[in-house]
Amino acid sequence: MYKEQIDMARLPQHIAFIMDGNGRWAQARGQQRSYGHFAGADTLEATLRCATKLGIPYVTFYAFSTENWSRPQDEVNTLLDLMLKHLEEKIFMENDVKFLLVGDIENLPQNLRDASERLMEKTKNNKAITMGVAFNYSSRWELAHAAKIIAKEVKEGKMKLEDITAETIDRHLATGIMPNPDLLIRTGGEQRLSNFQMWQLAYAELYFTDTYWPDFNDECLYKAIVDYQSRQRRFGKTGEQVTENK
């Protein structure tokens, strides 16, 4: 239905996902919250495949925030185990997916850190799509981390203070190798960023849906892209200026 409405010449180059609603989806079915996270992991893989077929170059999935460590320990353990389970090289190599872990990798459990670093090295030359997974991530951590790196480079004489620009910050973020998202999709009915890519999403189009993440399917993605393409992206200009430039 919606796929036929997509203008393939105007696809978003980078789609970011806040995968919300796993726990509520499970509880609505009389199941433990962990049941929803397992279902949500399947949805992530299906969404990745759909985005790859469409020709979306970059996707980022918000999987685990730095604040999520405060959740019940059994739920945290489930999320850690799921992440480790899905860092299988075969899936990424068969589908030509470049993997990027976006987050505080230094403070992850050692087995998860080692697996992530191995996968990033193994897939660094893959070209079909770049998949970022924001794990142990928060935007405030990311901005503070970038500021520390920039300050260190200034102190060491590698950069002058007056040379620091917005592009400098872009390069030093955890997402530095990717363009900023054009479209953010948040499932689960909430309408907030939840400390996710607050710098990068400055001019992204925001799409919120009541659909819980485990129920988010290809048709849902097509619908979000159609909605995105219906909007006029002005980047500070007037609507008339955008129309004239086109």
Side-chain angles (χ1 to χ4, degrees), residues 163-181:
D163 293 334
I164 298 174
T165 64
E167 289 71 26
T168 307
I169 297 173
D170 269 329
R171 291 196 308 270
H172 288 80
L173 296 175
T175 56
I177 69 166
M178 297 192 286
N180 291 333

Side-chain angles (χ1 to χ4, degrees), residues 62 64-67 102-104 134-144 194-198:
Y62 195 15
F64 190 89
S65 76
T66 54
E67 290 84 8
V102 180
D104 185 4
F135 202 93
N136 196 26
Y137 172 91
S138 81
S139 191
R140 290 179 176 179
W141 162 82
E142 181 181 37
L143 288 168
S194 297
N195 206 359
F196 178 60
Q197 295 204 355
M198 294 184 291

Side-chain angles (χ1 to χ4, degrees), residues 214-246:
D215 289 329
F216 190 86
N217 56 27
D218 290 1
E219 191 67 14
C220 295
L221 179 58
Y222 301 148
K223 182 180 179 181
I225 293 174
V226 169
D227 181 87
Y228 162 83
Q229 292 183 337
S230 73
R231 305 183 190 186
Q232 186 184 62
R233 306 190 72 200
R234 295 193 291 271
F235 299 98
K237 297 179 180 180
T238 66
E240 290 77 10
Q241 285 177 303
V242 173
T243 302
E244 288 172 3
N245 288 338
K246 285 184 179 179

Side-chain angles (χ1 to χ4, degrees), residues 73 88 92 105 131 133 222 232:
Q73 191 59 50
E88 298 176 359
F92 292 87
I105 192 170
M131 182 184 79
V133 175
Y222 301 148
Q232 186 184 62

Side-chain angles (χ1 to χ4, degrees), residues 143-156:
L143 288 168
H145 183 67
K148 290 177 183 177
I149 296 174
I150 294 169
K152 184 173 183 291
E153 291 182 1
V154 171
K155 183 179 180 180
E156 293 174 349

Side-chain angles (χ1 to χ4, degrees), residues 110-124:
Q110 193 63 47
N111 60 345
L112 190 52
R113 176 178 176 176
D114 291 345
S116 298
E117 290 177 336
R118 282 197 302 270
L119 187 59
M120 285 190 285
E121 176 63 26
K122 182 74 174 180
T123 65
K124 66 181 181 181

Side-chain angles (χ1 to χ4, degrees), residues 161-217:
L161 188 63
E162 56 269 24
D163 293 334
I164 298 174
T165 64
E167 289 71 26
T168 307
I169 297 173
D170 269 329
R171 291 196 308 270
H172 288 80
L173 296 175
T175 56
I177 69 166
M178 297 192 286
N180 291 333
D182 299 302
L183 172 62
L184 168 75
I185 298 173
R186 179 168 187 152
T187 59
E190 305 290 353
Q191 298 187 18
R192 57 176 177 268
L193 296 183
S194 297
N195 206 359
F196 178 60
Q197 295 204 355
M198 294 184 291
W199 175 278
Q200 297 93 323
L201 294 172
Y203 275 103
E205 298 299 321
L206 309 182
Y207 180 86
F208 301 105
T209 174
D210 291 336
T211 302
Y212 291 145
W213 178 249
D215 289 329
F216 190 86
N217 56 27

